[in-house]
Amino acid sequence: MLHERNFSLSLEAIRKSTVQQIRAGKVSTFFYAAAAHQTAAFLRKHPAGEQLLSSIDVQEWTEAQLSYARAVLVPETVTAAAWFAEKGREDIARPLCDRQITDADPLRWLSAGISHLSHLVRLSSRDGEAIRYLLKVLEACGWLQEAVANANTGDLSGALFSLSNHLPDGCLPASLLAHLKTRVTSELLRI
């Protein structure tokens, strides 16, 4: 019991120290030295994480994240960006998503699902041309077909609803409709 009390006191001391540093303008920018998903994980657990999050400079953050962009998988980007956006920092979430769309690297999509695509499109500021190119790449490597075929029904319907609301006009690939038709047909045959 004494151990739990000391742990709580330690967390409170960390929180107070961090708050004092924030007020004094002396916050270390150590979180610029990590990939976004690592920074998000740290800030989620830190007692003053939301206050630290508010102190992130957009320009410094965006420049620092460029060095990690090629090594980060789409699900990691989406998880971090969604948390940042939820906490009111769309300005630091957006560049992460924009980079994944612009790079259009199929290797970063290996562990991603259709819901990751919908979140990425929703959180990004990329235009129709960049998104169209990403969808062509994902179709060419077979990811789009697999994502539609393997998603559970709830994730698929939620992702499609989000995509219908956030995809720029003319970006919906005809192949997606064909994959959906195949999926619906197979679902109906199971019933």
Side-chain angles (χ1 to χ4, degrees):
M1 188 131 129
L2 183 60
H3 178 69
E4 288 177 20
R5 183 173 175 267
N6 288 342
F7 182 70
S8 295
L9 290 174
S10 296
L11 286 177
E12 182 61 20
I14 290 170
R15 189 192 68 73
K16 283 181 180 177
S17 170
T18 306
V19 168
Q20 288 171 351
Q21 288 177 11
I22 290 170
R23 286 185 183 141
K26 297 178 182 176
V27 177
S28 169
T29 57
F30 68 93
F31 38 76
Y32 295 143
H37 66 283
Q38 295 165 330
T39 300
F42 172 79
L43 293 174
R44 270 191 211 111
K45 294 181 188 233
H46 193 284
E50 290 187 34
Q51 289 174 306
L52 284 170
L53 178 62
S54 68
S55 70
I56 293 177
D57 177 76
V58 178
Q59 183 69 27
E60 285 183 65
W61 169 260
T62 304
E63 289 172 13
Q65 290 306 307
L66 288 177
S67 62
Y68 301 105
R70 298 216 182 274
V72 178
L73 299 173
V74 168
E76 294 170 335
T77 297
V78 168
T79 300
W83 186 76
F84 294 145
E86 176 187 318
K87 299 300 178 188
R89 290 304 308 264
E90 295 87 358
D91 57 338
I92 65 170
R94 196 168 295 113
L96 303 172
C97 296
D98 290 350
R99 182 65 185 234
Q100 289 286 15
I101 288 174
T102 302
D103 286 352
D105 183 350
L107 293 177
R108 288 192 239 155
W109 287 83
L110 293 176
S111 60
I114 193 80
S115 60
H116 293 106
L117 175 64
S118 69
H119 286 299
L120 204 65
V121 168
R122 176 178 62 83
L123 294 168
S124 101
S125 63
R126 286 293 172 231
D127 62 5
E129 187 176 326
I131 294 171
R132 235 182 325 282
Y133 177 73
L134 171 65
L135 291 171
K136 284 180 186 177
V137 168
L138 294 177
E139 176 62 32
C141 71
W143 182 89
L144 196 57
Q145 179 180 359
E146 288 294 315
V148 170
N150 295 327
N152 71 46
T153 305
D155 287 345
L156 182 60
S157 62
L160 292 172
F161 183 69
S162 179
L163 286 170
S164 71
N165 287 325
H166 295 97
L167 271 177
D169 291 339
C171 283
L172 187 67
S175 61
L176 179 60
L177 298 176
H179 300 318
L180 288 169
K181 182 178 178 182
T182 301
R183 171 71 187 259
V184 169
T185 304
S186 71
E187 292 281 336
L188 290 174
L189 290 175
R190 281 188 219 158
I191 297 173

